[in-house]
Amino acid sequence: MRGPIIVEHATDASLDNTKSLTYDVKADGRLLRVFFKYSASGGGSHTVTVQPLAHFSDGKVATAWPVDDQGTTNYIVQPDQGSFSGTGNQAGKAIYVLSDGVSSEYRITITASTGGISALHVVSELL
């Protein structure tokens, strides 16, 4: 029986202006969900991004998501391009890797903008 693998990467963490946190998650052929929330004191645009890091064929090479003929990736990852940007507090947001098939590892990156962020929580779930 293969149950979900849940990892808590950050709990009530803080991140200064223009700083980033990075977490690498080995997918083991599973679907990935990344859940996050944070509080922001500044007016900048803070981002959370999930991208393929290691493909089965070429090892660790950070790359962009493949796109369809419409130039979107929404059939593989939600939201499009695996990236979420927002100002102010973000609660209950998620990035879903629906189907990739070639990536064995993903990189989660959180980047703070003006004012930084606090009360950061990041959880990954492999299904």
Side-chain angles (χ1 to χ4, degrees):
M1 186 167 147
R2 280 179 31 150
I5 299 171
I6 300 169
V7 177
E8 193 167 357
H9 301 283
T11 304
D12 207 23
S14 295
L15 194 55
D16 290 335
N17 183 31
T18 70
K19 301 295 183 188
S20 293
L21 286 175
T22 301
Y23 305 100
D24 293 344
V25 177
K26 294 192 183 304
D28 188 31
R30 296 171 177 244
L31 301 180
L32 173 67
R33 291 192 262 191
V34 176
F35 301 95
F36 61 92
K37 67 178 182 175
Y38 60 78
S39 295
S41 57
S45 183
H46 312 285
T47 61
V48 179
T49 303
V50 175
Q51 69 182 94
L53 178 62
H55 283 219
F56 291 114
S57 60
D58 57 13
K60 278 198 174 188
V61 179
T63 183
W65 289 100
V67 296
D68 62 15
D69 58 1
Q70 305 294 312
T72 62
T73 59
N74 56 8
Y75 64 100
I76 285 180
V77 61
Q78 287 285 350
D80 196 31
Q81 300 298 328
S83 187
F84 180 90
S85 294
T87 58
N89 297 342
Q90 300 299 329
K93 301 295 182 182
I95 296 174
Y96 301 94
V97 179
L98 305 173
S99 176
D100 184 7
V102 296
S103 294
S104 60
E105 192 170 0
Y106 299 96
R107 175 164 285 165
I108 303 166
T109 305
I110 300 96
T111 304
S113 186
T114 306
I117 56 180
S118 61
L120 171 66
H121 296 267
V122 180
V123 175
S124 67
E125 180 181 38
L126 292 169
L127 302 175

